[in-house]
Amino acid sequence: RKVVTLLQAMQQKVTAEGEKAQELYEKFECYCKTSGGDLGASIEAAEAKLEEVAPAIEASTSKKAKIEEELTASKEEREACKTAMAEA
């Protein structure tokens, strides 16, 4: 009798777990079916924005390089002026 009760309890537990797994699978399946369009639209919007931002990034990069060159030249000029003042 004890074994039968134990087996019945295990059967109920396994059945409950199976129902829960089925429920989760159905939720996941629904998510996959409905979210595909949203994700596709989001990807297209991001790619369009990337095309808009890329030239601005390139312009900023070249501007940064130019400013760094000017800074280096200014530092060299400053050092030359310090040296000239020290000699004078």
Side-chain angles (χ1 to χ4, degrees):
R1 179 79 186 144
K2 191 174 183 180
V3 173
V4 172
T5 307
L6 186 62
L7 288 174
Q8 288 174 342
M10 283 177 41
Q11 181 183 11
Q12 290 175 351
K13 184 178 178 184
V14 168
T15 303
E17 288 176 356
E19 290 172 357
K20 185 176 180 182
Q22 180 65 29
E23 201 175 302
L24 290 173
Y25 174 77
E26 288 171 0
K27 285 182 182 179
F28 178 73
E29 184 180 34
C30 178
Y31 171 77
C32 289
K33 288 180 181 177
T34 59
S35 67
D38 295 341
L39 293 175
S42 177
I43 290 170
E44 288 176 8
E47 288 175 349
K49 187 172 183 179
L50 179 65
E51 291 175 5
E52 294 173 7
V53 175
I57 292 173
E58 291 175 9
S60 296
T61 304
S62 64
K63 185 176 180 181
K64 180 185 176 226
K66 181 181 175 185
I67 290 173
E68 286 178 344
E69 289 175 11
E70 291 175 1
L71 178 65
T72 304
S74 295
K75 283 182 180 180
E76 291 172 358
E77 185 179 333
R78 180 177 176 214
E79 289 300 318
C81 289
K82 279 186 178 181
T83 304
M85 287 181 67
E87 290 175 0

